[in-house]
Amino acid sequence: SYASGDEVVTTVNATTMDGGSVNGAQVELQLIVDGKVVETYHDAIGSNGKSVINVALPSQVLSSASVNAIVNSSSTVDSRSKSVPVVLDTIKVKYYPEGGSLIAGVENYVYFESFITFNQPGEWKAELRSIPRNSDLDSDEEEDVDLRFLANYPETVVLEEVKTSHEGRGVFKFKPDSVSLYFLKFTAPSGVESTGTALPEVSEEGAAMLHAEFDPIQDKITVQFATLM
C-alpha cells in the first residue's frame, strides 16, 4: 500500500500474441488520481520486454489512484489499467486470537485482516505496543480509545514488529499480561493511523491454541493448548 506523496514503481510487461519481442514499442503511462489524469510519463519497452517507470503520487489523494499503460508497437496499440492501493489516513484491523481469546501469561497467536479505502486489502508494517491500563478508562470503552493518543503515551512499550503477509492478512504471536492494553502503531506507509481498535481484552483464565496438525495417514488432528487457570 502507498500513502499520498509516495513513489510508486510501475513495471509494464509487453510481448506479441505469440510471445515475441516488442523491443522499442512506445509506452505512455497515465497517473489518474481522483478520476483525473494528473501526470503522463513516456518510455519504451526494453530488450527484456519491460518498461519500469517511477510514478510520484501527489501530496493529496482524496479517493483513489490508478495507472493506465498504453503500449504502441508497429502493429497494434493495447492498454491496461491497474489501481494503486492508497491508504487515506486510516486502516481498519480486525483481530482473531487463535482459540477465541487472548490468555494472560502464555504465548498467543493472533490472526488479523485489514482494510483500507473502500474495504480494499492493504499492506503495511506496524509496531505492537502496550501501555498500562488507564484506571480512568471503563473496560467497555477501551475499544474506542483514540490510538493516536495511545501511540504518544509516555509509558508506551514497543514489543515487536507486525506486518501483513498477503492481501491485508497476517499473524503474530506474543505473551500478554492482564494489566496492559495492546495496540498497533503503523510505521509504513507513512502518515496513517488505525481507526481506533485496540487488541481484544486479555483474560486471566482459559486456553490458547498453540498448534494444530493434521495426520492424513491416521486421519486425525492433533491440537496443542496452553492454559492458565
Side-chain angles (χ1 to χ4, degrees):
S1 299
Y2 301 91
S4 299
D6 282 354
E7 183 178 77
V8 181
V9 180
T10 65
T11 301
V12 179
N13 297 281
T15 63
T16 62
M17 291 292 291
D18 58 2
S21 171
V22 290
N23 184 23
Q26 297 301 299
V27 177
E28 177 180 310
L29 187 73
Q30 300 171 330
L31 173 62
I32 303 171
V33 176
D34 300 329
K36 297 180 180 179
V37 177
V38 297
E39 194 71 59
T40 301
Y41 303 81
H42 294 90
D43 195 24
I45 297 295
S47 58
N48 61 353
K50 298 180 180 181
S51 167
V52 179
I53 303 174
N54 294 341
V55 175
L57 293 175
S59 58
Q60 186 177 36
V61 179
L62 298 179
S63 61
S64 64
S66 63
V67 289
N68 181 48
I70 304 170
V71 180
N72 189 348
S73 67
S74 58
S75 59
T76 186
V77 177
D78 197 8
S79 65
R80 292 289 187 275
S81 296
K82 188 173 182 62
S83 62
V84 179
V86 179
V87 179
L88 304 180
D89 298 329
T90 59
I91 299 175
K92 298 179 182 178
V93 183
K94 294 182 179 180
Y95 305 102
Y96 304 98
E98 194 163 35
S101 302
L102 290 177
I103 307 301
V106 299
E107 289 282 0
N108 288 249
Y109 283 84
V110 181
Y111 293 85
F112 61 83
E113 61 178 348
S114 57
F115 304 93
I116 55 174
T117 310
F118 305 121
N119 285 328
Q120 299 177 13
E123 306 302 317
W124 46 264
K125 294 180 180 179
E127 294 171 340
L128 175 62
R129 298 188 176 195
S130 70
I131 63 168
R133 286 188 180 274
N134 189 336
S135 59
D136 295 332
L137 289 176
D138 184 275
S139 59
D140 294 333
E141 298 176 349
E142 286 181 348
E143 290 191 352
D144 298 323
V145 172
D146 188 335
L147 298 191
R148 286 167 291 188
F149 166 76
L150 293 182
N152 297 315
Y153 195 80
E155 296 182 56
T156 295
V157 176
V158 178
L159 302 177
E160 62 178 273
E161 182 184 73
V162 176
K163 61 181 180 181
T164 54
S165 57
H166 180 65
E167 293 189 345
R169 298 187 294 270
V171 61
F172 61 92
K173 68 176 181 178
F174 75 117
K175 184 183 292 187
D177 58 50
S178 60
V179 296
S180 299
L181 178 66
Y182 298 93
F183 65 98
L184 295 180
K185 170 62 178 177
F186 295 99
T187 57
S190 59
V192 299
E193 301 289 349
S194 168
T195 54
T197 54
L199 268 69
E201 184 177 354
V202 180
S203 175
E204 294 183 334
E205 296 183 353
M209 188 165 67
L210 300 182
H211 180 70
E213 182 176 353
F214 174 64
D215 186 336
I217 297 177
Q218 300 187 32
D219 193 26
K220 70 176 184 178
I221 299 176
T222 302
V223 180
Q224 295 180 348
F225 288 91
T227 63
L228 183 69
M229 305 300 292

